[in-house]
Amino acid sequence: QKEVEQNSGPLSVPEGAIASLNCTYSDRGSQSFFWYRQYSGKSPELIMSIYSNGDKEDGRFTAQLNKASQYVSLLIRDSQPSDSATYLCASYNQGGKLIFGQGTELSVKP
Amino acid sequence: EAGVVQSPRYKIIEKKQPVAFWCNPISGHNTLYWYLQNLGQGPELLIRYENEEAVDDSQLPKDRFSAERLKGVDSTLKIQPAELGDSAVYLCASSPNWGDGEQYFGPGTRLTVT
């Protein structure tokens, strides 16, 4: 079992819809969770961090964390073609290493 | 504020040749990371530096890979000799301190070994 798992996609949504990206993790001791966006040929860019159970909103982005279920999600409201990218979920394991999922490719169709 | 700087951006070498990558982290960031990213995968940590000390190099293939961070600022990652399987993107990242969570990535070096 991978420490951080994501559906690789691709996930395709129409412009203006809500995109929902999901991630599960295996290390119950993990406390910090991150979503990175990576455009093709570019480096990962941090877009959200979440440390407590519940929701955290930043503009069109909402991160959700459920530690009991070991589940993290990212919602993108009013999806735009410019949101088309690979989204990487990451968390620190108890050894202090940032572990990334394999990423979910999102395609927003005009 | 300048971001993480890496060079070169692209490198093509023949197998068995040496190659080196350079990284300059964000000013004031004590922790520096080197990651390897294969196509369709997330980054995987190769080595982490706290100032000039390598504190986690468990994933670094030490028979051919080496790294240094002299004076606790910029860093060099070297491969000698390169193998075909080393073709990947090598990312450098930095953070103010370890465990602060947010890591900031440089543009990466895309290595192709022929």
Side-chain angles (χ1 to χ4, degrees), chain A residues 38-44, chain B residues 3-10 22-24 34 37 89-93 104-110:
Chain A
Q38 187 170 28
Y39 291 114
S40 180
K42 302 295 186 182
S43 60
Chain B
V4 177
V5 179
Q6 289 188 249
S7 68
R9 293 293 312 279
Y10 304 92
W22 177 81
C23 172
N24 185 258
W34 282 102
Q37 186 174 26
V89 176
Y90 292 82
L91 294 163
C92 180
Y104 300 88
F105 284 84
T109 297
R110 183 176 297 276

Side-chain angles (χ1 to χ4, degrees), chain B residues 36-39 84-90 109-113:
Chain B
L36 178 152
Q37 186 174 26
N38 287 304
L39 189 65
L84 294 176
D86 296 331
S87 295
V89 176
Y90 292 82
T109 297
R110 183 176 297 276
L111 173 67
T112 301
V113 181

Side-chain angles (χ1 to χ4, degrees), chain A residues 2 34 36 38 41-44 46 49 51 88 92 95-98 100-102, chain B residues 33 35 37 40-43 45 56 58-59 91 98 100-103 105-107:
Chain A
K2 292 184 178 179
F34 308 91
Y36 285 81
Q38 187 170 28
K42 302 295 186 182
S43 60
L46 181 70
S49 58
Y51 303 92
L88 296 161
Y92 278 98
K97 186 175 296 185
L98 189 62
F100 287 84
Q102 71 269 39
Chain B
Y33 313 80
Y35 287 88
Q37 186 174 26
Q41 301 295 319
L45 182 70
D56 184 355
S58 57
Q59 301 302 310
L91 294 163
W98 174 62
D100 269 2
E102 300 179 2
Q103 297 184 18
F105 284 84

Side-chain angles (χ1 to χ4, degrees), chain B residues 43-89:
Chain B
E44 298 176 24
L45 182 70
L46 289 172
I47 189 168
R48 169 171 66 91
Y49 279 93
E50 295 294 333
N51 297 303
E52 65 273 13
E53 183 181 358
V55 294
D56 184 355
D57 62 356
S58 57
Q59 301 302 310
L60 191 71
K62 299 180 185 61
D63 57 335
R64 297 184 300 108
F65 287 64
S66 64
E68 62 181 11
R69 191 185 184 195
L70 300 177
K71 301 182 181 179
V73 182
D74 54 357
S75 176
T76 302
L77 177 69
K78 298 178 181 178
I79 308 174
Q80 183 173 11
E83 297 179 352
L84 294 176
D86 296 331
S87 295
V89 176

Side-chain angles (χ1 to χ4, degrees), chain A residues 86-100:
Chain A
T86 295
Y87 289 80
L88 296 161
C89 173
S91 73
Y92 278 98
N93 64 11
Q94 290 197 74
K97 186 175 296 185
L98 189 62
I99 306 296
F100 287 84

